[in-house]
Amino acid sequence: MAMFLRRKHIVVGGKAYDYYAVVENVREGGKVRQKTVVHLGKLDLKDSRRVLEWLKGLALLSPGVMVAEASDVVPDGSVVFAPLLAAKAAWDFWGLGEAIKRVAGEDVSHLAFVMASNRLTDPGSKLFVSQWYPKTALPQLLGLRSEDVYDERLYRAMDELLPARHAVEDAVASKLREIGQDLRVILYDITSTYFLGRESELLKRGYSRDHRGDKPQVTVGLVTTVDGFPLTHRVYPGNTSDVATVFGVAKELKERFGAERAVFVGDRGMMSDENVKKLLRLGYRYILCLRQPNVPRLGDDFWKALPARAKESLVIRDVRRGRGRFVIGYNPEKAERDRKAREDLILKAKQQLERLAASAGKGRYRSKSGLLKRATKILVLLGAERYFSYDVSPRGRPRLHFSLNQDEVERSSRRDGVFVLRTNVLDLPPEEVVAAYKSLGSIERAFRALKSFVRIRPVYHRKDLRIRAHVFICVLAYLLERTLEHWMRKNGIARTWPDVLSELETLRWSWIEVGKKRIGRPDRPTPEQLPILEALGIAGEFGRMEVSDNP
């Protein structure tokens, strides 16, 4: 209730009098008028002590009203608020809490949000969530006391969370259809994340995308929409190859989400003749990238003319083959990556061959065949054998001679930036086929977010069940991040969540002590913060929320 002091000034017999009343604005019949709450009569406002005592007496008769001197108001700290309010809005939008609650109970539902919001706003090991929680406004948002969030309870919640994964993914799929997201194009890719500990059934050494081949890892497959919203995920043993995961994921998408006649888009590691046959049996259309940019019946003349054509168009050629087609595309960013990767590879191989030649020159190799085998092994392991010609001196002490194969370097450079898509989608223009493939970049961005911001790695858990739950929580955090960015973009704010987070962190929940009461409420947003809050749909909460409790 908003009340204020109204002064009425009258003059009687040439003498001026001031009368005061406490009034409030009320709306009656579509008009606003002032209603008197209490008449105060004549009041000398210069006597501040008397006025204060009178107001305190009035407050005793008015529940919810408090009057205090400035010296009675003591600041009592502040906690993280605005980023968590945004996270809660995204969590509720997808119905994640209700989905988890139906399967695992309200306690697990609350704690799952606590762990996901921790990953979204302040990533850290689960061991630190219990220490982080009291420093946030989550106790006010969730009604869950700080002393009720401790390590053992968090671990139990992780153990009970996984059975709710399908319910969560079904809720997300239903909401995606409701908001008009296109599930006819499904993106799938795979990554790995390493683990600090011993191997297990899930934790295996394999091809490490983190360049940590010395550590056991898990492999994570992620399915998203074209706009990057995660639909489902799978966790595989760390030695699982990309190509071995395709059929299981495609089958699950068809059975669970009704992905009939959907277009399955996958990167190079997914491509094999066997996978193509399996996708066809499931009724999928597909767009898969070949491991090597080779197309039958395209000779050397085509590749020699390629650089000139590539600069003219991102789609170089559309080749029909029976019931399928090959779409050859060009990506200037990929061209630069290919060039740098080749130069780095050649430099590394050259340095190792130079060291080997120097070692041979010192007489450390007695056998010419042994020296030749060693040189071959170096190049084969690096995958650089086609770039070098090498031999061992036929007479005298074994010496290594090598040179760069410039013709092969030139031949390879012609294919920089080139990718070849194999597809059975015949009714789309080649430009749209290429655009569908390039949308895989949304999954690559998801993996970067999971690894760099959400910090899915390294994994500290010791049980396979908790490792799977850890990945699930990180995917949920990424869903929240992607949702918040999507809302901002729809409202004309082209910023990433990590960028916005640094600005919202200053908008906190502040506590003050007034006498024997402790009162908390959100800080007032700045003009710069307000458009972000409006885009996220939480600006209205800042004027309504207030909590009072007794310490």
Side-chain angles (χ1 to χ4, degrees):
M1 179 185 298
M3 295 184 292
F4 53 94
L5 197 64
R6 186 183 66 185
R7 179 175 71 99
K8 186 175 182 180
H9 183 76
I10 61 174
V11 178
V12 178
K15 192 173 182 180
Y17 298 91
D18 287 329
Y19 294 86
Y20 291 89
V22 176
V23 299
E24 64 175 339
N25 286 334
V26 295
R27 181 176 293 274
E28 292 182 356
K31 295 183 179 181
V32 177
R33 70 174 186 85
Q34 290 183 348
K35 177 183 177 182
T36 301
V37 177
V38 62
H39 289 282
L40 304 181
K42 291 192 297 182
L43 200 61
D44 183 3
L45 294 183
K46 294 180 181 179
D47 188 355
S48 59
R49 172 59 55 184
R50 185 179 174 187
V51 172
L52 180 63
E53 293 301 325
W54 191 95
L55 290 174
K56 285 183 177 181
L58 177 64
L60 294 175
L61 303 176
S62 307
V65 176
M66 178 178 293
V67 177
E69 296 182 70
S71 58
D72 292 334
V73 180
V74 180
D76 194 30
S78 65
V79 291
V80 178
F81 176 65
L84 296 169
L85 186 63
K88 188 68 166 58
W91 183 267
D92 292 342
F93 173 79
W94 295 105
L96 303 180
E98 287 301 314
I100 296 172
K101 180 180 175 180
R102 285 195 301 270
V103 177
E106 186 174 40
D107 188 57
V108 175
S109 176
H110 281 330
L111 293 176
F113 173 69
V114 169
M115 290 183 280
S117 60
N118 167 256
R119 287 276 149 185
L120 181 70
T121 63
D122 187 18
S125 167
K126 300 296 179 301
L127 287 173
F128 303 124
V129 172
S130 58
Q131 301 169 25
W132 166 82
Y133 184 80
K135 300 175 183 178
T136 73
L138 286 179
Q140 286 70 51
L141 290 175
L142 300 180
L144 187 63
R145 299 180 306 171
S146 297
E147 54 265 35
D148 292 330
V149 178
Y150 47 89
D151 297 341
E152 292 79 6
R153 194 175 183 186
L154 290 166
Y155 281 124
R156 284 200 304 270
M158 292 182 72
D159 294 342
E160 298 171 15
L161 177 61
L162 274 182
R165 182 172 72 88
H166 279 198
V168 166
E169 293 170 350
D170 290 343
V172 171
S174 176
K175 193 69 174 181
L176 285 170
R177 295 188 188 96
E178 181 184 319
I179 63 176
Q181 279 286 311
D182 189 358
L183 298 185
R184 291 173 298 175
V185 178
I186 295 169
L187 311 180
Y188 176 62
D189 207 352
I190 202 164
T191 191
S192 59
T193 185
Y194 64 87
F195 169 82
L196 303 179
R198 298 187 298 272
E199 291 193 25
S200 67
E201 290 185 9
L202 190 61
L203 299 161
K204 301 289 184 184
R205 284 181 170 82
Y207 171 66
S208 175
R209 294 159 180 83
D210 301 325
H211 308 292
R212 291 301 304 265
D214 59 319
K215 300 291 184 185
Q217 63 179 19
V218 295
T219 301
V220 180
L222 184 65
V223 177
T224 75
T225 67
V226 172
D227 285 337
F229 292 107
L231 182 60
T232 185
H233 74 280
R234 280 193 171 194
V235 182
Y236 303 97
N239 58 359
T240 304
S241 65
D242 297 13
V243 73
T245 68
V246 172
F247 177 69
V249 169
K251 188 170 183 291
E252 180 180 1
L253 289 172
K254 180 180 179 181
E255 293 174 349
R256 289 186 55 207
F257 305 112
E260 300 281 352
R261 300 296 296 165
V263 179
F264 188 97
V265 184
D267 215 342
R268 290 167 178 78
M270 314 296 168
M271 182 64 201
S272 74
D273 289 338
E274 184 62 25
N275 276 341
V276 169
K277 293 176 183 177
K278 289 177 178 178
L279 289 173
L280 289 173
R281 284 203 301 269
L282 289 170
Y284 277 98
R285 299 194 293 172
Y286 61 85
I287 299 174
L288 298 173
C289 189
L290 298 183
R291 291 173 181 266
Q292 297 295 331
N294 295 320
V295 178
R297 302 176 191 174
L298 292 182
D300 289 341
D301 291 343
F302 170 80
W303 295 107
K304 287 179 181 178
L306 187 58
R309 295 186 187 185
K311 295 177 182 178
E312 297 172 4
S313 175
L314 297 182
V315 176
I316 300 169
R317 191 159 176 179
D318 186 6
V319 182
R320 300 292 176 119
R321 289 285 187 270
R323 297 181 180 178
R325 69 200 282 202
F326 295 92
V327 177
I328 306 166
Y330 176 77
N331 184 337
E333 290 82 10
K334 181 179 181 301
E336 179 61 24
R337 292 196 301 269
D338 290 346
R339 181 193 62 78
K340 188 175 186 309
R342 182 178 57 256
E343 291 177 353
D344 291 346
L345 177 64
I346 289 173
L347 177 61
K348 188 174 183 179
K350 183 181 177 183
Q351 291 172 340
Q352 293 194 26
L353 290 176
E354 286 175 344
R355 287 197 292 268
L356 180 62
S359 179
K362 295 176 182 179
R364 294 180 180 174
Y365 285 86
R366 297 181 181 180
S367 165
K368 296 177 182 179
S369 63
L371 178 58
L372 194 62
K373 287 181 180 178
R374 179 58 185 161
T376 301
K377 184 177 181 180
I378 288 174
L379 293 174
V380 170
L381 288 176
L382 291 174
E385 62 271 23
R386 61 186 172 135
Y387 294 121
F388 289 90
S389 299
Y390 57 99
D391 201 355
V392 175
S393 54
R395 297 179 181 178
R397 178 185 299 173
R399 294 181 180 274
L400 178 67
H401 304 280
F402 66 93
S403 61
L404 187 64
N405 187 341
Q406 292 289 354
D407 289 341
E408 184 58 37
V409 172
E410 183 181 348
R411 189 178 300 113
S412 175
S413 66
R414 294 190 194 115
R415 304 190 183 194
D416 286 352
V418 176
F419 56 89
V420 179
L421 305 178
R422 180 179 175 181
T423 178
N424 64 345
V425 180
L426 304 180
D427 56 346
L428 285 181
E431 292 79 10
E432 292 188 25
V433 173
V434 171
Y437 169 69
K438 285 190 172 182
S439 60
L440 276 175
S442 65
I443 290 194
E444 294 174 3
R445 289 191 293 274
F447 286 147
R448 286 196 296 272
L450 284 168
K451 291 184 176 184
S452 62
F453 180 69
V454 178
R455 294 185 190 174
I456 195 173
R457 66 181 184 194
V459 182
Y460 295 95
H461 300 293
R462 297 293 184 264
K463 294 182 178 181
D464 287 358
L465 178 67
R466 288 180 184 166
I467 291 171
R468 293 182 185 276
H470 168 82
V471 174
F472 184 25
I473 290 165
C474 290
V475 171
L476 290 176
Y478 173 68
L479 172 62
L480 301 183
E481 177 185 343
R482 189 71 196 91
T483 304
L484 296 172
E485 290 179 345
H486 180 71
W487 288 348
M488 288 190 291
R489 191 176 69 248
K490 280 179 60 179
N491 287 277
I493 301 177
R495 297 174 65 180
T496 65
W497 172 249
D499 177 37
V500 167
L501 176 62
S502 63
E503 189 165 336
L504 294 185
E505 282 176 331
T506 62
L507 194 51
R508 299 171 68 84
W509 180 280
S510 297
W511 291 97
I512 59 171
E513 285 189 2
V514 182
K516 295 182 179 181
K517 286 191 175 181
R518 188 169 185 254
I519 301 172
R521 62 172 296 119
D523 293 343
R524 181 177 298 171
T526 65
E528 294 76 22
Q529 292 168 333
L530 194 56
I532 299 173
L533 300 177
E534 290 173 345
L536 299 176
I538 58 175
E541 300 297 326
F542 282 76
R544 292 195 294 264
M545 298 187 69
E546 181 172 294
V547 172
S548 176
D549 60 27
N550 293 322

